[in-house]
Amino acid sequence: MLTLYYAKKTRSIRALWMLEEIGCPYEAKLIDVMGGHGRTDEYLRLNPHGKVPTLVHDGAVIPDSTAILLYLADLFPEAKLGFPVGDPERGPYLAWMLYTTGVLEPSLTAKANGWTYVPSRVAWGSFEDMVARLRGAMDRPYVMGDRFSAVDILIGGSIQWASLYGALPKDEKFGSYLERLAARPAFQRAAAKDAA
Ligand SMILES: N[C@@H](CCC(=O)N[C@@H](CS)C(=O)NCC(=O)O)C(=O)O
């Protein structure tokens, strides 16, 4: 049994979207995380930071978006959203999955909050290098090439958020990439659930 704890208009839309792409049965538990429901003892046992999303699978608790997407991609290889061990693309795939939380998100958060810092003193480096790297990845239909994957769900979700809040420069490449993602029926189902 798969249970996803999520909140509306948060990073958890990416886990909802992933589950919709896979098409497996799951239970979605909406919690009012901004209203403090993430701080109950019961929820803190699942996610010690009181954040969403959290996935529970047959008693195993996965309290992080990137971990959830990696876990689900491996659990449902037939959905072809990941790259299995032995696939030559496995390494680049893992690097992009971790790039989202390790570089993209801290960089966008710093930008959105107007933080100033010395790029060589932080692990995620400069905002400009991050934007250039993303733009480079958008020379192809999807980050991993011709095939849509879990990377697009993670990175696409972050770019959507950043574009909404003006943290990324307006750019035709980002715009057409987001349009491609928004046209996916699974994304639309997840967005409808998120908005309901
Ligand atoms: N790295 C985490 C970040 C999760 C996160 O920041 N969630 C926010 C919503 S976007 C949250 O739950 N905030 C509620 C709070 O901190 O009280 C992930 O993506 O799983």
Short mmCIF file of all heavy atoms in Angstrom, two decimals, residues 9-12 14 33-34 39 49-53 63-66 101 105, ligand 1:
data_model
loop_
_atom_site.label_atom_id
_atom_site.label_comp_id
_atom_site.label_asym_id
_atom_site.label_seq_id
_atom_site.Cartn_x
_atom_site.Cartn_y
_atom_site.Cartn_z
N LYS A 9 -0.43 23.25 -3.21
CA LYS A 9 0.47 24.33 -3.64
C LYS A 9 1.82 24.28 -2.94
O LYS A 9 2.33 25.29 -2.43
CB LYS A 9 -0.19 25.69 -3.43
CG LYS A 9 -1.53 25.80 -4.14
CD LYS A 9 -1.89 27.21 -4.50
CE LYS A 9 -3.27 27.31 -5.15
NZ LYS A 9 -3.60 26.27 -6.11
N THR A 10 2.37 23.07 -2.86
CA THR A 10 3.69 22.89 -2.27
C THR A 10 4.51 21.98 -3.19
O THR A 10 4.01 21.48 -4.20
CB THR A 10 3.61 22.20 -0.89
OG1 THR A 10 3.12 20.87 -1.08
CG2 THR A 10 2.73 22.95 0.08
N ARG A 11 5.74 21.71 -2.75
CA ARG A 11 6.60 20.80 -3.49
C ARG A 11 5.99 19.41 -3.65
O ARG A 11 6.44 18.63 -4.46
CB ARG A 11 7.94 20.66 -2.76
CG ARG A 11 8.83 21.87 -2.85
CD ARG A 11 10.02 21.67 -1.93
NE ARG A 11 11.02 22.71 -2.06
CZ ARG A 11 10.97 23.88 -1.43
NH1 ARG A 11 9.94 24.15 -0.65
NH2 ARG A 11 11.94 24.76 -1.59
N SER A 12 5.00 19.10 -2.85
CA SER A 12 4.46 17.73 -2.90
C SER A 12 3.73 17.43 -4.20
O SER A 12 3.46 16.27 -4.50
CB SER A 12 3.59 17.42 -1.68
OG SER A 12 2.63 18.40 -1.45
N ARG A 14 5.00 17.29 -6.94
CA ARG A 14 5.87 16.45 -7.76
C ARG A 14 5.67 14.96 -7.44
O ARG A 14 5.69 14.12 -8.34
CB ARG A 14 7.33 16.88 -7.56
CG ARG A 14 7.54 18.33 -7.96
CD ARG A 14 8.94 18.81 -7.71
NE ARG A 14 9.31 18.78 -6.31
CZ ARG A 14 10.44 19.27 -5.84
NH1 ARG A 14 11.32 19.81 -6.66
NH2 ARG A 14 10.72 19.22 -4.56
N VAL A 33 -0.35 21.61 6.11
CA VAL A 33 1.00 21.73 6.68
C VAL A 33 1.30 23.16 7.14
O VAL A 33 1.96 23.38 8.15
CB VAL A 33 2.05 21.18 5.68
CG1 VAL A 33 2.35 22.17 4.56
CG2 VAL A 33 3.32 20.76 6.37
N MET A 34 0.76 24.14 6.39
CA MET A 34 1.01 25.54 6.77
C MET A 34 0.18 25.91 8.01
O MET A 34 0.50 26.84 8.73
CB MET A 34 0.68 26.50 5.62
CG MET A 34 1.49 26.23 4.35
SD MET A 34 3.28 26.24 4.63
CE MET A 34 3.88 25.82 3.00
N ARG A 39 3.13 19.49 12.46
CA ARG A 39 3.85 19.49 13.75
C ARG A 39 3.22 18.56 14.78
O ARG A 39 3.61 18.60 15.95
CB ARG A 39 3.93 20.92 14.33
CG ARG A 39 4.47 22.01 13.42
CD ARG A 39 5.85 21.78 12.86
NE ARG A 39 6.88 21.51 13.85
CZ ARG A 39 8.16 21.24 13.55
NH1 ARG A 39 8.55 21.20 12.29
NH2 ARG A 39 9.03 21.01 14.49
N HIS A 49 11.00 16.85 10.12
CA HIS A 49 11.02 18.30 9.88
C HIS A 49 9.62 18.87 9.71
O HIS A 49 9.46 20.07 9.46
CB HIS A 49 11.88 18.62 8.65
CG HIS A 49 13.34 18.38 8.89
ND1 HIS A 49 14.21 19.37 9.28
CD2 HIS A 49 14.08 17.25 8.83
CE1 HIS A 49 15.41 18.86 9.44
NE2 HIS A 49 15.37 17.56 9.18
N GLY A 50 8.61 18.01 9.80
CA GLY A 50 7.23 18.49 9.69
C GLY A 50 6.90 19.02 8.31
O GLY A 50 6.06 19.91 8.17
N LYS A 51 7.56 18.48 7.29
CA LYS A 51 7.34 18.99 5.93
C LYS A 51 6.66 17.95 5.05
O LYS A 51 6.62 16.77 5.37
CB LYS A 51 8.68 19.41 5.33
CG LYS A 51 9.27 20.65 6.04
CD LYS A 51 10.48 21.19 5.35
CE LYS A 51 11.08 22.36 6.09
NZ LYS A 51 10.36 23.62 5.89
N VAL A 52 6.13 18.42 3.94
CA VAL A 52 5.57 17.51 2.93
C VAL A 52 6.45 17.58 1.69
O VAL A 52 7.10 18.61 1.46
CB VAL A 52 4.12 17.92 2.55
CG1 VAL A 52 3.15 17.58 3.64
CG2 VAL A 52 4.03 19.38 2.13
N PRO A 53 6.49 16.51 0.89
CA PRO A 53 5.70 15.29 1.00
C PRO A 53 6.38 14.22 1.84
O PRO A 53 7.59 14.28 2.09
CB PRO A 53 5.64 14.83 -0.46
CG PRO A 53 6.97 15.22 -1.03
CD PRO A 53 7.30 16.54 -0.36
N PRO A 63 10.64 10.40 3.63
CA PRO A 63 10.21 11.78 3.87
C PRO A 63 10.95 12.83 3.03
O PRO A 63 11.46 13.80 3.58
CB PRO A 63 10.52 11.96 5.36
CG PRO A 63 11.74 11.11 5.57
CD PRO A 63 11.72 10.01 4.54
N ASP A 64 11.00 12.68 1.72
CA ASP A 64 11.70 13.68 0.89
C ASP A 64 11.34 13.46 -0.57
O ASP A 64 11.32 12.32 -1.04
CB ASP A 64 13.21 13.54 1.07
CG ASP A 64 13.96 14.50 0.18
OD1 ASP A 64 14.02 15.69 0.51
OD2 ASP A 64 14.46 14.06 -0.88
N SER A 65 11.11 14.57 -1.31
CA SER A 65 10.67 14.47 -2.71
C SER A 65 11.62 13.66 -3.59
O SER A 65 11.20 12.78 -4.34
CB SER A 65 10.54 15.86 -3.34
OG SER A 65 9.70 16.68 -2.60
N THR A 66 12.91 13.99 -3.51
CA THR A 66 13.87 13.31 -4.40
C THR A 66 13.92 11.83 -4.07
O THR A 66 13.89 10.98 -4.98
CB THR A 66 15.27 13.94 -4.26
OG1 THR A 66 15.17 15.33 -4.55
CG2 THR A 66 16.26 13.31 -5.23
N THR A 101 17.85 18.99 -5.62
CA THR A 101 17.85 19.40 -4.21
C THR A 101 19.19 20.02 -3.79
O THR A 101 19.22 20.88 -2.92
CB THR A 101 17.56 18.22 -3.25
OG1 THR A 101 18.10 17.04 -3.80
CG2 THR A 101 16.09 18.07 -3.00
N GLU A 105 17.51 23.98 -6.03
CA GLU A 105 16.63 24.55 -5.00
C GLU A 105 17.34 25.56 -4.09
O GLU A 105 16.81 26.65 -3.87
CB GLU A 105 15.95 23.44 -4.20
CG GLU A 105 14.92 22.73 -5.05
CD GLU A 105 13.71 22.26 -4.25
OE1 GLU A 105 13.65 22.51 -3.04
OE2 GLU A 105 12.82 21.66 -4.87
N1 LIG B 1 13.38 18.77 0.58
C1 LIG B 1 12.04 18.72 0.94
C2 LIG B 1 11.45 20.09 1.15
C3 LIG B 1 10.02 20.02 1.52
C4 LIG B 1 9.45 21.37 1.87
O1 LIG B 1 10.14 22.38 1.97
N2 LIG B 1 8.11 21.39 2.06
C5 LIG B 1 7.44 22.59 2.46
C6 LIG B 1 6.31 22.90 1.48
S1 LIG B 1 6.92 23.29 -0.11
C7 LIG B 1 6.77 22.37 3.82
O2 LIG B 1 6.31 21.29 4.11
N3 LIG B 1 6.68 23.42 4.65
C8 LIG B 1 5.95 23.39 5.87
C9 LIG B 1 6.76 23.80 7.05
O3 LIG B 1 7.98 23.90 6.96
O4 LIG B 1 6.13 24.01 8.09
C10 LIG B 1 11.25 17.92 -0.08
O5 LIG B 1 11.08 18.37 -1.24
O6 LIG B 1 10.80 16.87 0.27
#
